[in-house]
Every structure is written in C-alpha cells, then in structure tokens.
Amino acid sequence: MDPHAPHTAPVPRVGVVVIGHDDAAHVTAAVRSALAQGPVVGEVVAVDDCSTDDSAELLTRLAANEPRVRVVRRRVDSGGCGSPRNTGLDRVTSPYVMFLDSGDLLPPGAADALLRAATDAGAEVAGGLCVRREVAEGREVPWEAGLYAMRAVYESPAQRPRLVHDTLCVNKLYRTDFLRDHGIRFPEGRFRYGDFVFSARVLAAGPRIALVPNRVYVRHVRGCADRMPSAPDRAGIADWRARTEASRAAYEILLAAGRKELAREARANFLDHELRMYACELESHDVHHRRAWWTLTRAYLAEYDATDWEHRPTAPGCLVGRVVLASPEPRDLPRIRALASRPARLLPPYAHAPDGTPAWSADLPRITLEPLLTRPVRFLPLTVDAELRPRARTALLRLRLHELYGRVAQAGPEALEVEWRCRATGRAVGPRTTVGLGAPAGGSADVSWPAEVTLRWAAFALGRMPDGGARIWDLRLRVRFRGGAYREVTAQARAGAELPRRCAVVGARHAVVLMEPYSTHSGALALRVVPGPRGVMSVVRDVLRRLLHCHSRPQAH
C-alpha cells in the first residue's frame, strides 16, 4: 500500500501503540478511544510494561472480542515510556503509527484528521492540538496552541523553528517507514522525558510536516495518583536533572544533524519553558533543593554560548537564566518567580548600573534589563500589587500599578479592567469591572498608580463543584493605556502583607460560603471559594489532614 496515495476512504492505515504500567483503572478506556477512531485504525498494539495489577488481564479480555487489538506483555518493568513504545513500534504493520499513554484519550476523529493531513500533503509527520485536562478541576490547557491555530504544511522543520517547542510525541502521526528508515526510536529504560529525544530525532531527519487545528490528544493529569512515567513528579531534584539531560540530548542531536537554527531554538525553549516552569516553583522547596537546583542549572547554562543568549534576548526566561548563571548561590527568589510566571512580572526594586542603564540589581549591574524594555507595552513585564480586605458581605480590593523605568508613564495608564475567572470552567464573575487609576504617587525610585474596587461575595457563591468542593477564582487584570493599548497581567499578592485568613460569609440565599484568599505558586492573588456546609467541612478535613501529615513528616535539617 502506497502511503502517499490519496485518502479517499477510511481504510485501515493507522496503528496505535498504547502503553501502560499498573494502570488498570484507565488502560482499557485508552484502548477503546483508539478503537473508536473507526476503521481508519487497523490495529491497536497494547504494550503492558510488566504490570502487577489487572492491566494485562483486562487487555487480554478486551482483545478476545476485538480482532484489531494485540496485547504484548513485557516481562521486565522498563521504568519508563521509551522501551514499551519501541516494543509496540516494532510490532506495528500499518503504514502510519500513533502513540497513546494508558491514562490519556484520543478524541473522536483524531486519527482521521491526522491521516488526511499527512496523505493530502505527502507528509511524513502530521501534528495536531494536545490539551492537558486536569481531572480534579476539569480545566483544560492547550499545549503550544499557536502552532496549531490553522492548517499548515512545511517542507522541512527549518521553515518553522517553533516546531522544536512541541516536544510531545503523542499528538502526532508518523509514517512508519520514515521512522524505521531513519532509525528513529525512543531512549530505552528509565530515561525520563524521552519525548524530547524522540522529537529531536524526528526533526533532525528533516521530514515534511503537516499541522491541523483539530484537537487530537487529551492528556489527563490526576495529581499524585498518577503512576505513569510520562507524568513525572517535579518535586524531586532528580526530575530536574533528567529534564536538563533530555534538553541537552535534544540540542546535541539537532546540532549533529546540521540543524543549527533548530538547535538554537531548543536552547531558547529550555529558557522559555523548562526554566520558567521550574523557577516558578523553586521558592516552595527547602534550602537543600534550591541549592541543588541552582547548581545543576548553572552547570547547564554554562554550556550556552553568546549566540544562544542573543537568540531571544527579550524573553523573560533569558533574563532569569542570566541571573542564575551570574550568581553562585540562590538569590532574589520572589523576583525570579514573578518574572518566570505567565505573564511575566518584574518586581521592584528597579535598579540602575553606574552608567544609568536599567539593571537587575545594584550588585548585578551587568545583568541589563534593556532588552526587556524595548518590547511594546503589551509585552512589558508590568507589576500590579493586590491586597484583598474581606468584610461581611463584600471585600475591598486594593491595586497598585508600578512604574517600569518610565515606560508606564510614557504609555499613559488610564484604567484597570478587573475580572475574576473560574479556573475550572473559565467562567467570569459577571462583566469586567473598569476602575480608573489614581494620580501617580511615591518617590522617584518607585512611582505607582493606585486603584480600588469592591467585591460582592454573593457572586462567587454560584456554581459549586459537583462534589461540593472548592472552586478557584483567578484575578485577571487588563491595564488600559492612552490610545487603546493594553496589557494583560495577573496581580501580585502584595509583598510584606499577610493574606487574610479564610473567612465564612453569607452568600446568595443566606448560604454559608467559605472564602480563602491565597498566593499561587507564581505569587499571583487567587481566591478559593467553598459554598455550603458540605464544602466547608471538606476543606476543614483537608486542612486537618495536611496538619497531621506535616507533623508526621521528618523535619529537614
């Protein structure tokens, strides 16, 4: 069968490799989502990585009634995703192949959309949108949505270096003989982030690539219940070591293949994605973890050359990397966390080098901020402080927009648009509230524009979670400037101000509602709302459980 023949009917042309380890609760659902793609999927190779639960038996039972399913049971636990994927790839007979993890799903029509794109374009690789679904909250976050905003075909990855940023293998369809002819496989054994290496090998081979705007993969995140190696725990320093090793390997693969622009983009992606994501969480770890993380990061960043640093000099991750590389010990963690967040925030103090140029701090004058300040106002790392003062039925939200080396005053700030948005549903609490900014106040070192807005608790009490649990509301702001320009920002929980404790208030229809302002892992202000007595009791139980857990843990030295 010619893989480049026009796709006129849904004939069986795609093989799906499903891998799993001790995931009996979800693996059959994953396989069924592959079968539900219809006749376009001719085979599903289900690889059980030496599970100790009922996974293999469930798969065998499913295969007995479904001729398209073949079960392969590995006798030794590989400890990763690469080996079982390679095992499945070796057994696929279809012209095209996809990969699926046991805890995830292929949405309806995914395989057909990718196959049509590949055959219509004569492409060796076709990719589509992956969404990360946080099961507990119901929230979905798209992955690299900009790449999949519209249909596109690239003769080679060099035409779209941004492709390097999509390190996933599961949201793509590959021509099987392309992978085999180029010897493209996953790292074997306990290699975390094998997708990085596999994806680099694919791009290094220079395939023709077709992209579609369709949703083609749903990745489930179930918190600490996840066992799959594809969703590793970021808490341990070993995970960061694995991440840097995988990033290094991807860079070296691209560079060795002569794909210099893609290799540079891989290093830029490390700064913009990996470094920013982990730097946001650094302050929450103990001092030993911080130092180990800092040492590992400095060692990796020392491999960058001048061209690497100049590739994306205006990116916030580039500035974070420069600060880490220039400092032997962890420092300025609140500022690094804010700058690494999305959108980026640059907290005061705003220092200058001896020659008057904006600098990270007085003792790091060589770390210049000038590249950041050349960006248009809609991309500036603006900081708005927020302080929430609860009352019986309302709360006072005090906001303060900071000056940034004259760029804010130059743009002419006029107002703040305030919105609370539910993290799970995306629904806002009513329309945006627009509040005018007061006259600038403060000294020459830190000018700011104040604003105040009143919140009514009753609006937050609507729409409880199905289990009576909490909803999280994120504070979103838009700074409006003269001439119609604006900047979307989050609000920084005001430094030095203790957040008010949770309080019970009377919501709609005289219902008791528990309100808890808190600072997110990136330092932004958010609000946890628990309606009803059942929800309040669930939070109380969670608090008691955490307290007991903390008291039972060995103390760090």
Side-chain angles (χ1 to χ4, degrees), residues 477-494:
L477 304 173
R478 176 182 288 180
V479 186
R480 281 178 25 194
F481 295 94
R482 182 178 55 243
Y486 66 88
R487 168 58 161 151
E488 303 275 359
V489 297
T490 54
Q492 175 77 18
R494 190 165 72 86

Side-chain angles (χ1 to χ4, degrees), residues 261-504:
E261 182 65 20
L262 297 182
R264 299 287 185 205
E265 195 67 29
R267 284 195 159 171
N269 181 50
F270 178 84
L271 295 175
D272 187 57
H273 181 67
E274 271 70 44
L275 184 63
R276 290 180 70 175
M277 177 169 58
Y278 283 73
C280 271
E281 302 169 356
L282 186 58
E283 196 176 12
S284 64
H285 292 287
D286 62 37
V287 64
H288 304 295
H289 180 102
R290 296 176 189 176
R291 287 174 176 168
W293 185 93
W294 202 270
T295 300
L296 275 171
T297 307
R298 294 185 76 231
Y300 181 65
L301 295 180
E303 300 171 14
Y304 280 43
D305 59 27
T307 308
D308 293 326
W309 291 111
E310 294 166 2
H311 189 69
R312 292 275 180 84
T314 64
C318 184
L319 179 56
V320 171
R322 286 184 180 276
V323 173
V324 173
L325 187 59
S327 310
E329 295 288 333
R331 58 170 292 162
D332 303 336
L333 297 188
R335 297 189 78 204
I336 286 176
R337 179 179 68 169
L339 187 61
S341 65
R342 297 180 188 276
R345 304 185 300 273
L346 184 62
L347 304 184
Y350 303 121
H352 292 82
D355 63 359
T357 60
W360 176 259
S361 63
D363 59 334
L364 284 180
R366 290 182 296 177
I367 308 299
T368 178
L369 302 182
E370 284 189 308
L372 278 180
L373 302 178
T374 63
R375 311 182 89 189
V377 67
R378 68 180 182 276
F379 297 125
L380 287 178
L382 302 182
T383 293
V384 177
D385 283 346
E387 182 181 3
L388 190 62
R389 296 198 169 187
R391 299 169 180 170
R393 293 181 180 270
T394 62
L396 181 65
L397 178 64
R398 290 180 171 174
L399 303 167
R400 184 171 58 138
L401 169 66
H402 286 272
E403 177 60 277
L404 189 64
Y405 295 101
R407 287 298 311 276
V408 175
Q410 181 184 14
E414 294 181 340
L416 286 174
E417 294 179 7
V418 182
E419 181 180 69
W420 291 88
R421 188 167 290 276
C422 180
R423 189 177 297 177
T425 66
R427 183 174 63 86
V429 180
R432 288 175 180 261
T433 300
T434 301
V435 55
L437 289 165
S444 58
D446 186 15
V447 176
S448 62
W449 288 259
E452 291 186 355
V453 61
T454 299
L455 310 180
R456 297 190 179 278
W457 291 135
F460 292 90
L462 301 176
R464 68 185 64 186
M465 297 291 280
D467 62 353
R471 281 199 186 278
I472 305 299
W473 298 86
D474 293 307
L475 176 58
R476 305 294 185 189
L477 304 173
R478 176 182 288 180
V479 186
R480 281 178 25 194
F481 295 94
R482 182 178 55 243
Y486 66 88
R487 168 58 161 151
E488 303 275 359
V489 297
T490 54
Q492 175 77 18
R494 190 165 72 86
E498 183 179 350
L499 286 173
R501 295 179 179 273
R502 61 179 62 89
C503 60

Side-chain angles (χ1 to χ4, degrees), residues 527-544:
L527 184 65
R528 183 180 289 109
V529 180
V530 190
R534 180 182 172 190
V536 171
M537 289 305 300
S538 72
V539 171
V540 172
R541 285 194 297 269
D542 289 343
V543 171
L544 291 175

Side-chain angles (χ1 to χ4, degrees), residues 15 31 79 152 161 166 215 217:
V31 172
D166 183 4
R215 176 185 297 201
Y217 197 88

